[in-house]
Amino acid sequence: MTIQTGTLSLSRENVSAYLHAGDVIHIWLKALIAETEASVSVTVKDVELARVASARSEEFEFQHIVVSDGGKVVLSYDPSTTAVSVIYSFDPGRVLEEGIRVLHCMAANAPPQLQSGYHFRPPFGWMNDPNGFGRFGGKAHLFYQHYPHSMRWNTMHWGHAVSQDYLHWTHLPIFLFPAAELSMRDDGRGGAFSGSAIPDGDDEIRVFFTEQVRDRKPEEQIQLSATSADQISAGNPSIALPARPEGLGLTLDFRDPYVFKGPDGLWKMLLGSRDRSGGVILLYETSDHDAAGGWTFVGVVHREDRFGMTAAECPSILPLGDVASDETRWALIFGLLTSRDPATGRRNMSSVTVGRFDGREFQPEFEQELDFGSDAYAFQAFVDHDGPVGLAWLANWTDVSKSVDFPTAMTLPRRVLLDGSAILTPPLEAVDGLRHKLLDETSLLGGKTVEFVDGTAEILLDLTQAGAPFELSLDHPEISLGVRLDEEGLEILFDARTGKPSPRYLAAGAKPAQVRIFIDTGSIEVFADNGRWVGTKRIPSFAAVRSATMKTGTGGVAAARVWQIKL
């Protein structure tokens, strides 16, 4: 991923960089002392270009500055009266290729300093759900839930990045801001919650998102839409859906619009909600060519009440073949908020249900769990040129603390494939290109320890027969970690060593013939039999996995290869 830093020097009160005429600076500042104004002076070649100020003392205020003349730009402020959260600059004409240059951020929102890493992370601040994942203007765009000013959830913005291959990302300016009244305080009352994006003409993007305002009457959550002509900033939003459908006994949960083209050629919208029985997924449609308005409620397209879940969250649906064909199956994917599997203790699981969809009714045929590790939440996907591709937030809400920083990442990009009566979600083919160096193809198989170079690795195990047992131990300085296949199934072995029992991350009954394991700083992802069973687990530490050792049954593993992984 790309984070350009330019030529800068940072002193106690000054941030400086060499910029060009027409470059844009984004800055967030706030007053540290009540009734005392915060200010930042911006000078170019020792001539003051602007002085931005804020009287706020609760939340940072955003300022947009255009550099009138190229040269050394200095931003200076008094740290006893003024706090500056983020400063970045960019060339508006080149930002889609070059990205932003982060000039300053605080310790509270600074990204982790990792020696390496190949998963998507934001350039600063908090991140959760992927949003608006799609291809626009020839590039893959990823939007995401974002709070710029700390590593903890708060008032929601949309972050933004683009890529050619879903692996190497270029960070762009913050795309979508919360409503003005929500931006005034850091009390987490709401903001621009999750949603999706569709093309709007040749080069424009139309986004749909939930606006959350806690305690707003009668609706805390409504659906908004906005367009972007330049692909880097959203215009003023308009209301797409002002209220929940009546007569269904729904709770205030009414969120996460996913807009897609149905088999009848009309734009459709899925929304997650909840009634007294459990989670429901709502379906809307419009005959408007641009999906700009005219949305009407079709009905409840799916219900789910397993595992004590409350709301269905972040729904998406994908055609697994020709959209117009009556024979095409569709994959309906969503999160089961607050669900708990009594057999394993896992929480907030995600489900995929496959069936037929005619544009108005969904007829389920089979379902399976999306990820047995349960740390691939809010999965969002779309149909790209060569088929469906998606990714998820590499975390789980049960691990989030209101008092502890929680840096996170996105999963590896994954395919969504139909194989008979099973859904496969293998890593995208481009992931093969991350293999930097073959570290071993004999020692691990022989029971010896294989040292990792920098904590990143791919391990590929070919078994002599489906379900042949093995146990892979991964040496981590702070947790117990490994992968095991036995008569119970395929399992990620995880113990945070807190003294409290950990859930079991188990794909019960799985008997794969091949297991592919990706290790990064802060995560492990397991793909078995081309994604038939997938397990994702966040590691709550930035300490690196140091090595791997494997025990096998007699002749159970035919080949074991280990690569160093690198972007």
Side-chain angles (χ1 to χ4, degrees):
M1 62 194 71
T2 304
I3 305 176
Q4 297 189 15
T5 56
T7 302
L8 61 91
S9 61
L10 178 63
S11 69
R12 186 168 176 268
E13 300 179 2
N14 297 326
V15 177
S16 65
Y18 288 91
L19 303 179
H20 298 99
D23 282 359
V24 172
I25 299 172
H26 285 176
I27 181 171
W28 283 259
L29 72 160
K30 73 174 180 179
L32 291 174
I33 304 171
E35 301 181 359
T36 300
E37 187 176 73
S39 66
V40 175
S41 173
V42 182
T43 62
V44 181
K45 297 178 180 178
D46 299 324
V47 177
E48 188 170 70
L49 168 67
R51 180 177 293 273
V52 295
S54 175
R56 294 185 189 176
S57 58
E58 289 192 31
E59 183 60 297
F60 291 93
E61 185 170 1
F62 169 70
Q63 300 285 352
H64 175 103
I65 302 164
V66 179
V67 177
S68 58
D69 191 13
K72 183 178 181 180
V73 178
V74 178
L75 300 98
S76 60
Y77 63 96
D78 182 352
S80 67
T81 61
T82 301
V84 178
S85 171
V86 178
I87 304 173
Y88 60 74
S89 68
F90 60 93
D91 177 346
R94 298 284 303 164
V95 66
L96 286 167
E97 288 72 36
E98 298 177 351
I100 60 173
R101 290 177 286 174
V102 179
L103 305 179
H104 166 75
C105 56
M106 308 178 299
N109 61 349
Q113 298 300 305
L114 303 179
Q115 198 169 30
S116 60
Y118 52 91
H119 286 78
F120 177 88
R121 294 182 183 275
F124 46 80
W126 161 276
M127 178 183 72
N128 56 292
D129 303 355
N131 298 151
F133 190 38
R135 185 173 294 277
F136 312 104
K139 295 180 182 292
H141 287 246
L142 171 64
F143 304 91
Y144 53 90
Q145 291 283 276
H146 184 42
Y147 180 66
H149 310 307
S150 78
M151 292 294 182
R152 302 174 198 171
W153 185 94
N154 208 308
T155 306
M156 285 289 96
H157 303 56
W158 275 27
H160 189 195
V162 292
S163 175
Q164 294 289 358
D165 61 1
Y166 303 103
L167 296 171
H168 300 82
W169 293 94
T170 299
H171 293 287
L172 300 182
I174 290 176
F175 180 82
L176 193 59
F177 291 77
E181 63 270 20
L182 295 172
S183 299
M184 299 293 287
R185 297 183 296 177
D186 62 346
D187 56 4
R189 293 177 61 241
F193 276 27
S194 291
S196 57
I198 62 172
D200 191 9
D202 293 333
D203 295 314
E204 296 187 2
I205 302 173
R206 178 176 290 277
V207 298
F208 298 84
F209 64 99
T210 298
E211 182 188 64
Q212 157 86 13
V213 180
R214 192 172 64 226
D215 301 325
R216 176 173 58 188
K217 305 295 183 182
E219 302 289 345
E220 287 192 355
Q221 299 179 350
I222 63 175
Q223 315 315 315
L224 302 185
S225 178
T227 59
S228 174
D230 59 8
Q231 299 187 23
I232 62 172
S233 61
N236 292 327
S238 59
I239 296 176
L241 292 175
R244 295 162 289 167
E246 297 179 352
L248 298 179
L250 301 178
T251 64
L252 293 175
D253 300 281
F254 180 56
R255 59 179 175 272
D256 310 333
Y258 179 80
V259 177
F260 64 102
K261 189 65 71 73
D264 53 9
L266 299 180
W267 287 110
K268 312 289 179 176
M269 179 192 295
L270 297 183
L271 285 156
S273 189
R274 172 189 178 190
D275 63 14
R276 292 181 180 178
S277 298
V280 297
I281 297 175
L282 310 173
L283 176 65
Y284 286 76
E285 69 178 13
T286 180
S287 58
D288 185 280
H289 179 268
D290 298 319
W295 290 98
T296 59
F297 179 57
V298 176
V300 173
V301 75
H302 192 68
R303 292 183 176 274
E304 183 62 74
D305 62 358
R306 293 178 301 161
F307 303 115
M309 68 172 291
T310 51
E313 283 199 313
C314 302
S316 63
I317 190 167
L318 298 163
L320 304 173
D322 182 1
V323 174
S325 172
D326 293 338
E327 298 302 312
T328 293
R329 269 48 173 190
W330 293 68
L332 177 64
I333 304 170
F334 58 96
L336 285 64
L337 183 65
T338 71
S339 57
R340 183 182 184 276
D341 178 12
T344 61
R346 293 170 304 142
R347 301 292 303 273
N348 296 317
M349 295 170 288
S350 295
S351 174
V352 53
T353 303
V354 174
R356 297 178 185 268
F357 177 62
D358 63 5
R360 298 182 68 83
E361 293 185 355
F362 179 72
Q363 299 177 340
E365 296 179 349
F366 70 88
E367 64 182 4
Q368 68 185 59
E369 189 172 4
L370 183 69
D371 191 293
F372 71 84
S374 67
D375 280 6
Y377 197 72
F379 187 88
Q380 187 169 102
F382 76 103
V383 180
D384 202 1
H385 301 314
D386 48 0
V389 58
L391 45 69
W393 182 41
L394 210 165
N396 194 294
W397 285 112
T398 56
D399 298 326
V400 176
S401 168
K402 294 181 180 180
S403 59
V404 178
D405 287 352
F406 194 76
T408 59
M410 295 297 180
T411 65
L412 286 174
R414 301 171 181 183
R415 290 286 181 202
V416 182
L417 309 172
L418 178 62
D419 182 17
S421 60
I423 287 292
L424 313 181
T425 54
L428 209 64
E429 296 82 356
V431 171
D432 293 354
L434 296 179
R435 293 172 177 172
H436 178 64
K437 180 182 179 182
L438 182 64
L439 297 178
D440 173 68
E441 53 184 341
T442 57
S443 296
L444 191 66
L445 190 62
K448 297 179 181 179
T449 296
V450 176
E451 303 288 338
F452 295 161
V453 175
D454 55 6
T456 65
E458 178 194 346
I459 301 173
L460 181 61
L461 305 177
D462 292 310
L463 310 184
T464 54
Q465 61 182 5
F470 70 86
E471 183 166 330
L472 182 75
S473 298
L474 299 167
D475 180 24
H476 189 282
E478 299 178 21
I479 65 170
S480 297
L481 185 67
V483 179
R484 180 170 61 203
L485 179 62
D486 60 17
E487 65 277 2
E488 288 191 86
L490 180 63
E491 184 172 6
I492 297 174
L493 305 171
F494 176 86
D495 184 354
R497 300 175 182 168
T498 62
K500 299 179 181 180
S502 173
R504 292 191 69 187
Y505 302 101
L506 172 69
K511 295 183 180 299
Q514 185 182 79
V515 180
R516 192 177 182 186
I517 302 163
F518 289 88
I519 298 161
D520 198 359
T521 304
S523 68
I524 180 171
E525 291 176 274
V526 178
F527 299 88
D529 281 2
N530 197 37
R532 170 58 185 88
W533 296 279
V534 178
T536 305
K537 185 72 191 81
R538 178 183 183 269
I539 299 172
S541 167
F542 291 116
V545 175
R546 295 177 290 206
S547 63
T549 310
M550 185 171 63
K551 298 178 182 177
T552 67
T554 304
V557 179
R561 285 161 286 176
V562 183
W563 290 269
Q564 179 190 3
I565 298 296
K566 191 174 183 180
L567 276 175

